[in-house]
Amino acid sequence: MTETKVLRKIIEIDEERCDGCGACIPSCAEGALAIVDGKARIVKDIYCDGLGACLGHCPQGALRVIEREAEDFDEAAAHAHVARMNAEEAEEKPTFGCGCPGSAMMQMKPRAAASGPCACMGGDEEEVPAPASALSHWPVKIKLVPPNAPFLRGADLVVAADCAPVALAGFNPNVLAGKVVMIGCPKFDDVEAYLAKFTEIFEHGGVRSVTVLRMEVPCCTGLSGLVHRAAQLAGSHVPVKDVVITRNGDMLEQRQTVLA
């Protein structure tokens, strides 16, 4: 049976501008967008509500809201579509739907330090333990980690500014061990998208605690601000701690806050 079309607002994708990055996918709660043949596409017109929640998440400006004849938005069908996608992801290995294999979501066992000669970065071999990675999941970029990622539930989350792990010697054993991590830059990334994501994490992600690891430079304070703001918006009682790293690599632990 052919659905009746109506003149309404709906998303249009500029294929010339779209580079298939998939940044728009998680912002569409109705699951109306997907990466097909390297480009964002509307899965079905009935899944798109035309409100444009995805617009600000496209770095190429490839999305816009237009008016055209399309099948009317079907909220029930959209919810059923999302439920099917969630069920399929639960049966298979969860992946982040951005079309990039390097963003496939996974959990792994942290590696133990290996003993024996270590030729680090092509230097002379020394009889020292090889450095071990404490990373237990992928991806790690704030932009790529879904708010409902399985590895967030019950976890102690480290939200790290991009520069902090580089400045802090021993980041893996002293900060990351036994925790999960999300990394980003409040200066160059989309702060509003960060705020929305962390608010959702505080509401539904199930994290046990949050540690914000940032540099002492002024632009990095925005990372602490948005995480604390997200906790307030979510009405969360999850403890949030700030740790500041100096440019010399010293760690300055700040106060911990919990909403009453």
Side-chain angles (χ1 to χ4, degrees), residues 8-260:
R8 70 177 184 92
K9 291 182 177 180
I10 194 168
I11 292 295
E12 182 180 68
I13 303 160
D14 187 332
E15 292 194 12
E16 294 297 318
R17 291 188 175 186
C18 177
D19 60 6
C21 73
C24 56
I25 304 297
S27 63
C28 180
E30 293 74 29
L33 298 173
I35 301 298
V36 180
D37 297 329
K39 300 286 184 180
R41 315 273 187 189
I42 295 180
V43 179
K44 280 187 179 180
D45 287 354
I46 61 172
Y47 299 153
C48 178
D49 59 12
L51 296 179
C54 54
L55 295 183
H57 298 272
C58 178
Q60 304 301 326
L63 304 176
R64 64 171 182 159
V65 176
I66 64 166
E67 280 197 358
R68 68 169 171 85
E69 285 193 348
E71 293 171 8
D72 210 354
F73 170 59
D74 187 332
E75 185 174 4
H79 287 172
H81 168 59
V82 172
R84 284 194 301 272
M85 290 196 302
N86 290 339
E88 289 171 2
E89 287 179 1
E91 291 175 2
E92 303 170 2
K93 184 197 294 191
T95 57
F96 178 80
C98 73
C100 172
S103 297
M105 190 161 51
M106 64 180 70
Q107 293 176 259
M108 57 267 197
K109 208 173 191 180
R111 297 178 60 186
S115 58
C118 175
C120 299
M121 300 300 290
D124 295 333
E125 289 192 353
E126 299 178 30
E127 195 69 27
V128 294
S133 172
L135 187 63
S136 61
H137 63 90
W138 192 262
V140 298
K141 294 293 286 184
I142 296 172
K143 185 177 180 180
L144 297 178
V145 176
N148 61 346
F151 52 77
L152 291 176
R153 189 154 298 279
D156 296 306
L157 170 64
V158 176
V159 180
D162 283 340
C163 306
V166 179
L168 181 63
F171 171 77
N172 270 269
N174 298 330
V175 177
L176 184 56
K179 300 179 177 67
V180 300
V181 64
M182 295 173 68
I183 294 177
C185 177
K187 183 174 182 179
F188 295 110
D189 296 344
D190 187 340
V191 174
E192 290 302 317
Y194 275 14
L195 180 61
K197 176 163 289 189
F198 283 117
T199 300
E200 193 169 350
I201 287 173
F202 279 115
E203 288 177 340
H204 307 298
V207 293
R208 183 169 57 183
S209 71
V210 177
T211 298
V212 181
L213 186 74
R214 64 174 178 84
M215 297 299 295
E216 63 177 344
V217 295
C219 59
C220 241
T221 60
L223 188 60
S224 292
L226 71 89
V227 171
H228 284 277
R229 177 63 177 150
Q232 291 176 343
L233 290 173
S236 172
H237 298 285
V238 171
V240 179
K241 179 172 67 176
D242 290 285
V243 176
V244 180
I245 309 302
T246 70
R247 279 167 282 196
N248 292 326
D250 297 322
M251 182 187 291
L252 307 174
E253 189 166 317
Q254 307 296 298
R255 67 186 179 90
Q256 178 172 294
T257 60
V258 182
L259 291 184

